[in-house]
């Protein structure tokens, strides 16, 4: 199995601006060139603003291109828990926001004519034990009450592989190749007239009250407004709210191609992409190439400045071991590559957006489910800095200038979660 280094994402056309080496002015500066930053920059330009987009590497270099490829209306926190903690109206608003995010991402594929292998197939939050199946039933009820289109499914009739007992099927969204999508969105961003400066990290952001000054290693940007779409890298900027994001490394593995007949034999006739209902989920999907991409399961933390890295061999081996346990009929299928990237986890485990200062807005629409949501929030933030009223969907996650509490995301806590999941797996085997 080949471990792919994070800096492997580099084979992109050199059509952006050269690194910034002077002082320039603009209306809006967007810091962070993931899908959220690109979407924000595109919308700000559509609104007539002169826009600068700064990215420390290449547009889409981070989690935007390294994720599992799910376009989902999932919210990171457990639906049953959210039902207990949040008022019904707020929960309904969150699920409306999440579903609209999916539709926005789907429309972006069409709008920018991006070839990325998108498959509109929904997603199944799958149960691998009787306890998880009961949990799935409760989650389906909570989500239905919140207005989600999800439904409870059970048994082999759902077209799930042997060993997957059922779960919650989300009818919206699907899967795609995130790298291909990012390349398409990057091309659209550059073609839009946005001034894109790659390999230009923001080292400091200052709001003077009448303008924002962004320092880079060799130049500066003066702007009327700034948007922070830096996610896991937010702690590297002093203006970002304290404890906005806890960086978490997540790993993924891809197998060699698997014959379609073999997938039918193990019962995966629906080919539905799945995430399990463990404390730390596992994800499994079939790609258009006939390979299987799977990941998460075990997470690792980090601190800014975040290092370049390859997946941990032990973590990759654990992922492969988990794959063979979930799919005993595919035990001979070999893993061919592993990769990973940094995602940002909020202390609330919910997507958030707000104000870092009078002229600087931020978003953290990730928590491992942000591919669609980050794009949508970036779009809405661009409208807000243009003077439009706070959109209802942006209001659903709006944090304003409230402080963030301590995060429960830590190395020891994530390891305990992994241990608890493995204990529940062993218990499920014993109680079959």
């Amino acid at each position: 199995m080949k471990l792919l280094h994070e800096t492997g994402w580099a084979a992109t056309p050199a059509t952006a601006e050269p690194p910034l080496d002077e002082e320039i002015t603009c209306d809006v500066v967007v810091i962070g060139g993931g899908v959220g930053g690109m979407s924000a920059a595109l919308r700000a330009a559509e609104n007539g603003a002169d826009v600068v987009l700064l990215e420390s590497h290449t547009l889409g270099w981070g989690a935007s291109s390294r994720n599992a490829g799910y376009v989902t209306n999932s919210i990171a926190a457990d639906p049953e828990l959210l039902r207990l903690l949040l008022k019904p109206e707020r929960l309904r608003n969150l699920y409306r926001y999440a579903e609209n995010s999916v539709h926005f991402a789907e429309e972006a594929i069409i709008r920018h004519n991006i070839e990325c292998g998108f498959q509109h197939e929904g997603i199944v939050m799958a149960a691998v034990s009787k306890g998880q199946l009961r949990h799935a039933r409760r989650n389906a009820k909570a989500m239905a009450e919140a207005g989600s289109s999800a439904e409870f499914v059970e048994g082999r009739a759902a077209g799930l592989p042997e060993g997957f007992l059922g779960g919650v099927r989300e009818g919206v969204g699907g899967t795609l190749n995130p790298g291909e999508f990012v390349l398409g969105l990057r091309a659209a961003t550059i073609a839009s007239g946005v001034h894109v400066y790659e390999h230009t990290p923001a080292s400091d952001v200052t709001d003077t009250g009448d303008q924002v000054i962004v320092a880079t290693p060799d130049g500066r940007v003066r702007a009327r407004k700034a948007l922070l779409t830096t996610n896991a890298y937010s702690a590297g900027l002093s203006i970002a709210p304290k404890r906005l994001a806890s960086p978490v490394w997540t790993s993924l593995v891809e197998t060699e191609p698997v014959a379609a007949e073999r997938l039918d034999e193990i019962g995966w006739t629906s080919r539905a992409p799945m995430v399990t209902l463990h404390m730390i989920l596992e994800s499994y999907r079939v790609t258009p190439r006939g390979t299987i991409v799977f990941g998460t399961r075990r997470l690792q933390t980090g601190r800014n400045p975040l290092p370049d890295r390859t997946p941990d061999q032990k973590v990759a081996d654990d992922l492969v071991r988990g794959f063979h346990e979930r799919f005993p009929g595919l035990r001979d299928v070999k893993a061919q590559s592993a990769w990973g990237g940094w995602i940002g986890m909020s202390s609330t485990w919910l997507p958030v957006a707000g104000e870092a200062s009078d002229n600087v807005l931020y978003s953290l629409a990730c928590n491992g489910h942000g591919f669609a949501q980050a794009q949508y929030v970036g779009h809405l933030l661009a409208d807000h800095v243009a003077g439009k009223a706070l959109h209802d969907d942006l209001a659903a996650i709006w944090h304003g200038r409230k402080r963030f509490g301590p995060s429960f995301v830590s190395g020891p806590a994530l390891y305990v979660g992994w241990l608890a999941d493995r204990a529940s797996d062993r218990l499920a085997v014993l109680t079959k």
Side-chain angles (χ1 to χ4, degrees):
M1 175 171 55
K2 185 178 181 180
L3 301 180
L4 302 181
H5 192 267
E6 192 175 24
T7 54
W9 176 257
T12 53
T15 54
E17 304 277 355
L20 183 65
D21 61 358
E22 59 181 340
E23 180 171 294
I24 59 175
T25 61
C26 63
D27 297 318
V28 177
V29 57
V30 181
I31 304 168
V35 291
M38 286 189 277
S39 180
L42 281 164
R43 183 58 172 174
E46 288 174 3
N47 289 335
D50 183 25
V51 184
V52 167
L53 174 57
L54 303 178
E55 165 55 37
S56 60
H57 292 87
T58 303
L59 294 186
W61 174 87
S64 292
S65 59
R66 303 177 190 283
N67 61 77
Y70 287 66
V71 182
T72 173
N73 62 338
S74 297
I75 298 172
D78 182 74
E80 184 182 17
L81 180 61
L82 290 177
R83 183 189 187 195
L84 296 174
L85 296 178
L86 302 180
K87 294 180 179 179
E89 182 180 2
R90 188 180 179 203
L91 192 55
R92 284 194 295 271
N93 290 342
L94 279 172
Y95 274 101
R96 181 200 65 225
Y97 145 82
E99 191 157 320
N100 285 342
S101 297
V102 170
H103 298 320
F104 180 86
E106 292 172 340
E107 291 165 3
I109 295 171
I110 298 171
R111 182 166 61 253
H112 301 300
N113 194 28
I114 300 175
E115 295 291 337
C116 57
F118 177 63
Q119 300 180 70
H120 190 283
E121 53 195 350
I123 293 166
V124 176
M125 298 166 57
V128 297
S129 69
K130 293 178 181 178
Q132 287 188 8
L133 192 63
R134 291 191 293 270
H135 189 192
R137 192 184 295 275
R138 296 193 297 270
N139 273 349
K141 182 179 179 181
M143 294 169 72
E145 290 176 355
S148 170
S149 58
E151 61 175 348
F152 178 75
V153 295
E154 186 174 7
R156 295 295 294 276
L160 302 182
E162 183 178 358
F164 291 80
L165 308 181
V168 183
R169 177 186 286 136
E170 298 174 345
V172 300
T175 60
L176 48 66
N177 183 315
E180 291 177 348
F181 177 87
V182 160
L183 288 175
L185 194 62
R186 177 182 183 269
T189 303
I190 293 172
S192 73
V194 170
H195 303 289
V196 176
Y197 292 91
E198 296 179 321
H199 307 289
T200 306
S203 54
D204 188 40
V205 180
T206 305
D207 187 347
T208 67
D210 58 354
Q211 66 176 333
V212 180
I213 303 173
V214 182
T216 74
D218 299 305
R220 294 199 303 180
V221 180
R222 294 180 180 271
R224 180 176 55 84
K225 298 285 185 179
L227 300 179
L228 300 183
T229 57
T230 43
N231 296 316
Y233 297 85
S234 297
L237 296 173
S238 60
I239 199 169
K242 188 177 181 180
R243 297 191 291 260
L244 170 61
S246 296
V248 171
W249 175 273
T250 182
S251 301
L252 294 161
V253 174
E254 184 173 15
T255 70
E256 62 186 350
V258 181
E261 311 86 74
R262 298 196 64 184
L263 298 178
D264 292 336
E265 288 172 3
I266 65 171
W268 203 353
T269 55
S270 68
R271 304 294 196 271
M274 303 177 294
V275 296
T276 66
L277 287 164
H278 290 90
M279 291 179 63
I280 302 176
L281 65 80
E282 301 170 11
S283 65
Y284 302 95
R285 72 177 179 94
V286 181
T287 73
R289 300 183 297 279
T291 62
I292 299 174
V293 170
F294 55 94
T296 310
R297 183 175 165 98
R298 188 167 179 176
L299 303 172
Q300 298 165 295
T301 56
R303 293 185 178 181
N304 278 284
L306 295 173
D308 296 342
R309 58 174 294 179
T310 56
D312 187 299
Q313 184 68 60
K314 292 181 179 179
V315 173
D317 289 343
D318 180 64
L319 281 169
V320 174
R321 182 165 53 252
F323 168 71
H324 288 151
E325 290 172 354
R326 298 277 170 253
F327 300 87
L330 302 178
R331 283 187 181 274
D332 61 318
V333 173
K334 297 178 181 179
Q336 61 180 10
S337 59
W339 67 95
W342 295 103
I343 63 173
M345 300 292 294
S346 68
S347 60
T348 63
W349 287 69
L350 294 173
V352 292
E355 299 171 326
S357 66
D358 287 346
N359 297 306
V360 180
L361 303 184
Y362 69 84
S363 72
L364 182 66
C366 291
N367 294 301
H369 297 275
F371 183 82
Q373 296 174 36
Q375 296 180 59
Y376 189 44
V377 175
H379 180 92
L380 296 178
L381 283 177
D383 277 350
H384 192 51
V385 299
K388 297 182 181 181
L390 197 69
H391 191 283
D392 287 345
D393 287 339
L394 189 56
I397 64 168
W398 192 250
H399 202 74
R401 296 198 187 184
K402 291 183 289 185
R403 296 181 179 181
F404 289 91
S407 175
F408 294 104
V409 178
S410 67
L414 293 175
Y415 182 63
V416 168
W418 177 81
L419 287 175
D421 285 336
R422 302 294 73 77
S424 68
D425 286 344
R426 288 193 291 272
L427 181 61
V429 171
L430 293 173
T431 56
K432 275 186 177 179

